[in-house]
């Protein structure tokens, strides 16, 4: 763990600490893939086991889901722009795009909460059947990740305002961007294997 | 709420345990205060981020857990040998085999090995610390608090009683009310976080912090076993995390994953549990293989035979370990085809394992073996483990398993692999690396006593159980007063006490050696037979490990270094060394999360939320912490090294 520093390349990769943190985070994402894969498998196994509760096809609404997808995909794009600005050395650009990203993320969360409340009114809660348990836990885990991401990025925004771009702050932003894109990928899987299939079958 | 609603009451054994726990706690508090050691405890240990100290804390805790799990085992054995005595009732017996199994695997075997990895792996690859020292401390405290949480269930609230496998629906809210099962869920969950973090941490450490020149295929075999184990951890532990979370949500928030109402699927638990559980078995056996390989090479004074084959066989075992989980429930109606597939995949594992055994034997062949205590554990492992492995293949035959399933045959089998594999390895590794940790060896004569007592006790205890199993005695049964079963049960219990005695002698040896053993002068403790880099540092190891990191481009680099008269100290090349600062934050963060878990266990939501908020606040503080550690200056390094090397 020496303090030697490269002179070229992206800021976050110039120190050994930076490289190690990023590699560690990639491995962590590998573990997250397993975590979500297990939840997806559980969902698949419990699919259709709705007991007396409504069927997914009766409740899933294409409209809400499409808006949510739009919000999250856009936020992944703006997050990419934020990192692009960071690479150009622009704290301001990074901050602005990141705030937009978070706003989109919040919008997504808002719709998700609305959706959950709506389902509960229709008689589908985590307690009503095995299917709905697995649905709420799968979607809810994703939603929880988004919430954590928003809180985390907010902390980072405070740090960048205080410290500017350094090896450390740039590394932190790079890592949260990986996290954010990862959540987007997971959402695509939820969209297709939960909502689309749920609406068709 | 009244205190007796929480405390477990009604059994003399439990009152005795409460009294002794209270007395020991008071004694510890008194001694710490009397000798004014509180500051020392906090500054040197609770706040440490030094991988060597964290490793020692892991090992000490694991020894304590071995004691606890061992006490459970003795109690069960007494009950089984004297069924008419009425020593344990059925409920108590259920609780004890559950806590015994869980503690031994989750809180003894794994932490013991992780403790050894903590201390040795950075030394073997020439690193100064872990990639993330702070996270390492966090991992330790998550394990520690998880273990404590699980252990207090004994006197507060009541222990889980659904077996270490915790099968649903038995472990669901409908059939196991009350906090017992929640203790299991939260204790494992909390410590599981730490295990996953350790897996990632060690992987990055090994991939990124090796000495210059050291390729992956130059790494010592123990480091290899650690790397492979970490892969298993990263891919298996999230499954456990999910399984535990789902059952927690079922029990506390009324979800229907594993229930019989609401169309849940109890069998899904068995699948999830063993998709983690079988790889878990290899998490505790692969490092053991690594340890034995190091010891055999050192005391046979030869290079390990078939290094590449050893590495590849570990990788193949790791991959296969994910493909066999169904062999744990062949009898639960998956059908002939599924059973056959998993039967074959199970038996495949015997192939790479066989390769390893032949390589150990080939290393020993025509070598001058030095029968030190560490080597004796390693040698005893080979035939004992084969006995466990062969019976494993027998269990792996789906058709035959209908006979063996859940009988004492199984109990004998898994103790043969777990004890001859993992526990022997823990003891062997501890003895072998002891001088590196504490600056003196363990006494060899007393060590041999411990070895022989434990070794004989082990075979006397578990060999008869194969025959009990074939005779039809089921596992998890607390009454054995069927006349044909009694004699073998009594023999088995005698053996168990032999092991208990062996363990006591082992622990006594720690005390005895601390007082009487000669202090180590050189770093290369085993008569200069060390082969890997950990022996190239001085003893005691300076906190920065290596003053100058050697260049490595071969297996067993230290052998060549000794031939060429080189050391890991080159005064002309000294540079300031960057070190992380100590911090109490990991301890505090995990204490909060443990408090939150405790709240959840009793479904006191206010406490649960308070603990969670405390934990989150600690994480926020961490995010804002830009402490970059400090540098050890060249003069300081010179002073330490010259003193240690007698220059
Ligand atoms: C010190 C010597 C030991 C003795 C005398 C012993 C004895 C026992 C006994 C009597 C049982 C209960 C069998 C039954 O009623 O079905 C048991 C179960 C078990 N033991 Fe041990 N044991 C020892 C060490 C270990 C170690 C070192 C491990 C693991 C590393 C271990 C893991 C287990 C497991 C997983 C179970 C199954 C628990 C369950 O059924 O839920 N044991 N042991
Ligand atoms: Cu298995």
């Amino acid at each position: 763990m020496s303090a030697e520093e490269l002179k070229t390349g992206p800021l976050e990769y110039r120190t050994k600490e930076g490289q190690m943190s990023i590699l560690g985070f990639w491995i962590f994402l590998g573990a997250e893939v397993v975590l979500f894969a297990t939840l997806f498998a559980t969902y698949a196994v419990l699919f259709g086991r709705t007991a007396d509760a409504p069927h997914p096809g009766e409740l899933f609404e294409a409209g809400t889901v499409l808006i949510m997808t739009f919000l999250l995909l856009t936020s992944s794009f703006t997050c990419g722009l934020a990192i692009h600005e960071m690479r150009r050395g622009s704290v301001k650009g990074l901050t602005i795009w990141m705030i937009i990203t978070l706003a989109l993320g919040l919008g997504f969360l808002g719709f998700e909460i609305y959706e959950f409340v709506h389902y509960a009114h229709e008689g589908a809660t985590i307690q009503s059947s095995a299917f709905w348990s697995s649905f709420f836990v799968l979607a809810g885990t994703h939603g929880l990740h988004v919430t954590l991401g928003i809180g985390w990025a907010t902390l980072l925004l405070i740090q960048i305002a205080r410290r500017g771009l350094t090896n450390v702050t740039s590394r932190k932003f790079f890592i949260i961007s990986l996290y954010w894109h990862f959540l987007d990928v997971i959402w695509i899987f939820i969209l297709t294997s939960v909502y689309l299939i749920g609406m068709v079958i | 709420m009244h205190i007796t609603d929480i405390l477990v009451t009604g059994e003399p054994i439990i009152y005795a345990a409460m009294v002794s726990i209270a007395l020991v706690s008071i004694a510890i508090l008194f001694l710490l205060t009397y000798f004014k050691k509180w500051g020392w405890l906090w500054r040197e240990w609770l706040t440490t981020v030094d991988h060597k100290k964290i490793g020692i804390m892991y090992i000490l805790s694991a020894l304590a857990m071995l004691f606890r799990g061992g006490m459970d085992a003795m109690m069960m054995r007494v009950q089984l040998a004297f069924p008419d005595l009425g020593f344990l009732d059925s409920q108590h017996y259920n609780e004890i085999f559950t806590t015994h199994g869980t503690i031994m695997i989750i809180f003894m075997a794994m932490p013991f090995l992780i403790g050894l990895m903590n201390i040795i792996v950075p030394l073997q690859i020439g690193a100064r610390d872990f990639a993330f020292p702070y996270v390492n401390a966090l991992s330790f405290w998550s394990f520690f608090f998880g273990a404590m949480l699980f252990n207090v269930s004994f006197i507060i609230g009541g222990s889980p009683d659904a077996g270490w496998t915790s099968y649903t629906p038995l472990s669901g809210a409908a059939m196991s009310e009350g906090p017992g099962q929640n203790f299991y869920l939260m204790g494992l969950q909390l410590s599981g976080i730490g295990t996953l973090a350790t897996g990632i941490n060690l992987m990055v450490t090994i991939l990124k912090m090796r000495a210059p020149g050291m390729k992956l295929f130059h790494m010592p075999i123990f480091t290899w076993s650690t790397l492979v184990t970490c892969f298993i951890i990263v891919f298996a532990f999230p499954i456990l995390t999910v399984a535990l979370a789902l059952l927690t949500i079922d029990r506390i928030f009324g979800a229907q994953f594993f229930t019989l109402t609401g169309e849940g699927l109890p069998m899904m638990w068995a699948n999830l549990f063993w998709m983690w559980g079988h790889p878990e078995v290899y998490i505790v056996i692969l490092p053991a293989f690594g340890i034995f390989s190091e010891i055999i090479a050192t005391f046979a004074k030869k290079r390990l035979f078939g290094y590449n084959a050893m590495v590849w066989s570990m990788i193949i075992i790791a991959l296969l370990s994910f493909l066999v989980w169904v062999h744990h429930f062949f009898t639960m109606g998956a059908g002939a085809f599924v059973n056959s597939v998993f039967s074959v995949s199970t038996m495949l594992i015997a192939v790479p394992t066989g390769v390893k055994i032949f390589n150990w034997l080939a290393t020993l062949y025509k070598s001058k073996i030095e029968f030190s205590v560490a080597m004796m554990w390693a040698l005893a492992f080979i035939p004992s483990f084969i006995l466990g492995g062969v019976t494993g293949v027998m269990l792996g035959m789906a058709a035959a398993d209908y006979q063996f399933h859940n009988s004492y045959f199984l109990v004998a089998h898994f103790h043969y692999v777990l004890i001859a594999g993992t526990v022997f390895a823990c003891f062997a590794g501890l003895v072998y690396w002891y001088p590196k940790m504490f600056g003196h060896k363990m006494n060899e004569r007393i060590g041999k006593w411990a070895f022989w007592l434990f070794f004989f006790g082990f075979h006397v205890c578990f060999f008869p159980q194969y025959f009990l199993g074939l005779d039809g005695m089921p596992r998890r049964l607390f009454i054995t007063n069927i006349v044909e079963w009694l004699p073998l049960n009594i023999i088995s219990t005698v053996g168990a006490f032999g092991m208990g005695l062996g363990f006591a002698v082992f622990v006594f040896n720690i005390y005895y050696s601390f007082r009487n053993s000669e202090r180590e002068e050189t770093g290369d403790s085993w008569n200069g037979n060390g082969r890997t880099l950990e022996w190239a540092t001085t003893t005691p190891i300076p906190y920065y490990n290596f003053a100058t990191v050697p260049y490595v481009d071969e297996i067993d680099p230290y052998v060549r270094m000794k031939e060429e008269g080189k050391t890991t100290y080159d005064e002309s090349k000294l540079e300031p060394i960057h070190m992380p600062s100590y911090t109490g934050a990991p301890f505090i963060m995990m204490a909060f999360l443990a408090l939150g878990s405790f709240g959840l266990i009793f479904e006191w939501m206010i406490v649960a939320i308070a603990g969670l908020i405390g934990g989150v606040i600690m994480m926020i503080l961490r995010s804002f912490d830009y402490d970059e550690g400090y540098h050890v200056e060249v003069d300081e390094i010179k002073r330490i090294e010259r003193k240690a090397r007698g220059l």
Side-chain angles (χ1 to χ4, degrees):
Chain A
M1 246 203 293
S2 49
E4 83 249 32
E5 198 185 299
L6 302 174
K7 295 284 176 273
T8 56
L11 213 47
E12 65 271 17
Y13 277 105
R14 286 191 196 168
T15 61
K16 187 143 189 206
E17 279 88 350
Q19 294 171 12
M20 290 194 302
S21 301
I22 293 168
L23 175 64
F25 198 77
W26 273 111
I27 301 174
F28 172 73
L29 286 184
E32 289 269 84
V33 168
V34 180
L35 185 125
F36 276 104
T38 313
L39 289 174
F40 275 109
T42 309
Y43 178 84
V45 169
L46 297 176
F47 190 83
R49 306 182 76 89
T50 43
D52 300 329
H55 286 273
E58 298 169 33
L59 294 189
F60 288 169
E61 285 168 15
T64 333
V65 177
L66 284 181
I67 300 175
M68 287 166 76
T69 308
F70 174 75
L71 289 173
L72 207 62
L73 288 191
T74 319
S75 83
S76 213
F77 179 66
T78 55
C79 181
L81 289 179
I83 297 302
H84 179 71
E85 291 294 324
M86 179 177 96
R87 289 275 160 76
R88 288 183 43 210
S90 159
V91 175
K92 194 160 155 240
L94 168 65
T95 313
I96 291 175
W97 284 116
M98 208 62 205
I99 291 177
I100 296 176
T101 305
L102 295 189
L104 291 167
L106 274 174
F108 170 87
L109 266 185
F111 274 98
E112 181 149 76
I113 292 169
Y114 156 79
E115 189 202 5
F116 282 10
V117 172
H118 171 66
Y119 291 170
H121 275 298
E122 303 286 327
T125 65
I126 199 170
Q127 301 173 336
S128 43
S129 75
F131 169 80
W132 286 107
S133 299
S134 66
F135 168 81
F136 281 107
V137 168
L138 172 57
T141 307
H142 178 265
L144 190 68
H145 274 73
V146 174
T147 316
L148 285 176
I150 292 174
W152 179 10
T154 311
L155 298 178
L156 296 191
L157 283 171
I158 302 174
Q159 291 172 30
I160 195 109
R162 282 201 195 159
R163 295 172 181 271
L165 266 183
T166 66
N167 291 323
V168 181
T169 48
S170 64
R171 178 230 299 163
K172 290 184 173 190
F173 268 103
F174 183 69
I175 286 179
I176 198 161
S177 77
L178 291 179
Y179 181 76
W180 200 262
H181 294 313
F182 168 76
L183 293 182
D184 205 26
V185 174
I186 295 292
W187 177 257
I188 309 256
F189 280 95
I190 296 184
L191 172 75
T192 47
S193 60
V194 175
Y195 288 101
L196 293 187
I197 293 183
M199 277 186 273
V200 174
I201 299 180
Chain B
M1 164 135 359
H2 203 262
I3 185 85
T4 49
D5 294 344
I6 306 177
L7 283 182
V8 180
T9 51
E11 285 236 18
I13 306 177
I14 292 181
Y15 289 128
M18 282 181 191
V19 172
S20 53
I21 289 172
L23 287 180
V24 171
S25 313
I26 292 172
I28 292 174
L29 296 183
F30 174 77
L31 288 176
L32 282 172
T33 314
Y34 185 80
F35 290 107
K36 301 200 173 59
K37 289 288 187 197
W38 284 104
W40 165 82
L41 186 67
W42 178 257
R43 277 191 311 276
E44 296 287 321
W45 294 95
L46 303 190
T47 58
T48 188
V49 292
D50 181 338
H51 69 100
K52 301 179 283 296
K53 285 188 173 172
I54 293 177
I56 288 173
M57 292 196 289
Y58 264 115
I59 292 175
L60 280 179
S61 320
L63 281 171
M65 289 298 106
L66 184 54
F67 177 75
R68 157 83 209 258
M71 289 305 280
D72 284 346
M74 299 294 141
M75 282 158 67
M76 284 189 288
R77 280 312 331 164
V78 170
Q79 167 67 28
L80 295 173
F82 306 105
D84 296 328
L85 215 57
F87 181 57
L88 301 176
D89 61 29
S90 62
Q91 173 60 23
H92 202 176
Y93 191 85
N94 292 350
E95 292 180 8
I96 287 185
F97 70 65
T98 303
T99 50
H100 164 79
T102 314
I103 284 179
M104 284 298 196
I105 291 192
I106 308 281
F107 300 126
M108 190 287 286
M110 227 184 355
F112 208 127
L113 295 166
I114 289 181
L116 290 172
M117 293 173 185
N118 249 276
I119 299 169
I120 299 306
V121 166
L123 294 173
Q124 283 198 328
I125 59 174
R128 296 227 158 93
D129 204 327
F130 268 47
F132 314 112
Y134 179 95
V135 177
N136 194 22
L138 208 66
S139 298
F140 171 74
W141 291 112
S142 99
F143 146 69
F144 182 83
F145 282 113
M148 289 305 115
L149 209 58
F150 188 83
N151 271 275
V152 294
S153 70
F154 181 41
I155 50 171
I156 302 176
S159 293
D161 58 1
W164 89 282
T165 49
S166 200
Y167 278 165
T168 52
L170 177 60
S171 60
M175 295 172 81
S176 294
E177 246 190 82
Q181 211 55 41
N182 298 349
F183 271 112
Y184 173 94
L185 294 169
M186 299 315 292
L188 262 63
Q189 192 68 286
L190 194 59
S191 63
I193 300 170
T195 310
L196 179 62
T198 300
I200 297 174
N201 207 342
L202 272 167
M203 242 160 106
V204 178
T205 307
I206 295 174
L207 292 177
K208 282 277 180 185
M209 295 177 75
R210 277 167 302 161
M214 188 188 266
K215 298 219 175 70
L216 283 178
F217 276 84
H218 294 149
M219 293 194 314
I221 204 83
F222 178 60
T223 299
W224 253 117
S225 73
T226 304
L227 182 62
V228 177
T229 305
C230 290
F231 264 100
I232 309 184
I233 289 179
V234 168
F235 287 104
F237 262 77
I239 308 178
L240 176 71
T241 306
V242 170
L244 294 172
L246 298 188
L247 186 51
T248 310
I249 298 171
D250 257 16
R251 289 179 54 86
I252 298 181
F253 303 102
Q256 312 272 8
F257 288 104
F258 310 113
T259 57
L260 294 171
T261 59
E263 295 197 36
L265 280 176
M267 260 323 278
M268 201 172 64
W269 170 267
N271 277 287
L272 290 177
F273 182 86
W274 286 113
M275 274 192 243
W276 159 80
H278 192 83
E280 165 69 16
V281 175
Y282 289 88
I283 293 174
V284 297
I285 204 69
L286 289 182
F289 289 172
I291 293 171
F292 290 129
S293 301
E294 300 284 359
I295 291 177
I296 287 175
T298 302
F299 293 104
K301 307 183 188 91
K302 255 169 76 176
R303 190 168 147 177
L304 186 69
F305 184 86
Y307 172 92
N308 285 332
M310 285 302 221
V311 172
W312 282 111
S313 60
M314 279 196 291
I315 295 173
I316 292 169
I317 291 175
L319 296 178
L320 285 175
S321 77
F322 282 93
L323 305 178
V324 302
W325 78 92
V326 170
H327 67 210
H328 292 272
F329 39 90
F330 277 149
T331 61
M332 294 200 212
F337 179 72
V338 172
N339 278 0
S340 311
V341 169
F342 282 93
S343 189
V344 171
S345 62
T346 300
M347 285 180 212
L348 277 182
I349 294 194
V351 178
T353 314
V355 169
K356 301 193 80 72
I357 293 192
F358 285 118
N359 280 330
W360 286 314
L361 295 179
T363 312
L364 291 169
Y365 182 66
K366 281 197 177 166
S367 64
K368 285 208 188 63
I369 300 178
E370 181 184 336
F371 287 93
S372 71
V373 172
M375 185 63 162
M376 287 165 72
W377 287 109
L379 292 177
F381 147 77
I382 296 175
S384 313
F385 188 80
I386 291 175
L387 258 171
V390 169
T391 51
V393 175
M394 292 167 72
L395 285 160
M397 287 187 259
D401 191 55
Y402 276 82
Q403 173 69 20
F404 304 135
H405 185 64
N406 276 355
S407 76
Y408 254 71
F409 191 86
L410 171 79
V411 176
H413 153 70
F414 69 67
H415 283 96
Y416 258 89
V417 269
L418 282 168
I419 296 183
T422 306
V423 178
F424 282 18
C426 292
F427 288 164
L430 184 56
V431 173
Y432 179 59
W433 283 306
Y434 203 82
K436 275 283 139 193
M437 301 177 200
F438 298 106
H440 60 269
K441 282 185 193 155
M442 281 174 93
N443 183 290
E444 289 270 309
R445 197 167 43 84
I446 303 178
K448 283 185 182 157
W449 272 100
F451 167 78
W452 286 114
L453 281 168
F454 199 91
F455 177 73
F456 275 120
F458 163 65
H459 283 283
V460 173
C461 180
F462 292 105
F463 198 67
Q465 293 183 2
Y466 282 125
F467 298 97
L468 283 170
L470 294 176
D471 253 2
M473 178 170 154
R475 79 193 275 207
R476 298 180 177 172
L477 179 76
F478 86 116
I479 314 172
T480 47
N481 49 3
I482 290 185
V483 183
E484 300 90 78
W485 292 346
L486 259 187
L488 287 182
N489 265 307
I490 293 175
I491 295 176
S492 178
T493 301
V494 171
F497 276 85
M499 295 169 80
L501 203 60
F503 177 69
V505 175
F506 192 96
V507 173
F508 169 74
N509 198 5
I510 293 179
Y511 169 77
Y512 181 89
S513 311
F514 170 67
R515 311 233 51 170
N516 300 319
S517 269
E518 220 181 293
R519 302 299 110 162
E520 284 285 309
E521 304 271 302
T522 92
D524 193 7
S525 306
W526 299 105
N527 301 331
N529 286 326
R531 312 180 68 82
T532 38
L533 282 183
E534 75 266 33
W535 305 108
T537 59
T538 55
T539 299
I541 312 169
Y543 52 92
Y544 50 75
N545 292 355
F546 295 92
T548 47
V549 178
Y551 183 85
V552 178
D553 56 3
E554 63 190 323
I555 302 165
D556 294 345
Y558 191 41
V559 176
R560 167 93 67 100
M561 282 173 76
K562 280 186 282 195
E563 279 166 16
E564 295 178 354
K566 288 194 193 139
T567 65
T568 53
Y569 182 56
D570 184 345
E571 227 174 63
S572 61
K573 284 200 194 141
L574 287 184
E575 279 173 25
I577 296 174
H578 179 238
M579 297 297 292
S581 344
Y582 280 19
T583 158
F587 177 84
I588 300 171
M589 188 190 301
M590 282 305 156
F592 272 122
L593 292 185
L595 177 74
S597 310
F598 190 76
L600 207 54
I601 286 167
F602 285 94
E603 302 182 30
W604 299 334
M605 290 306 159
I606 310 242
V607 182
I609 291 169
L612 190 64
I613 292 177
V616 170
I617 290 177
M618 290 308 294
M619 289 176 207
I620 295 176
L621 291 179
R622 166 64 183 167
S623 177
F624 281 91
D625 178 10
Y626 276 70
D627 183 347
E628 294 192 338
Y630 62 97
H631 281 88
V632 191
E633 295 309 329
V634 172
D635 289 342
E636 170 83 355
I637 306 173
K638 252 187 213 164
R639 197 179 55 71
I640 296 176
E641 293 289 324
R642 285 192 170 162
K643 182 159 167 268
R645 291 168 192 273
L647 295 175

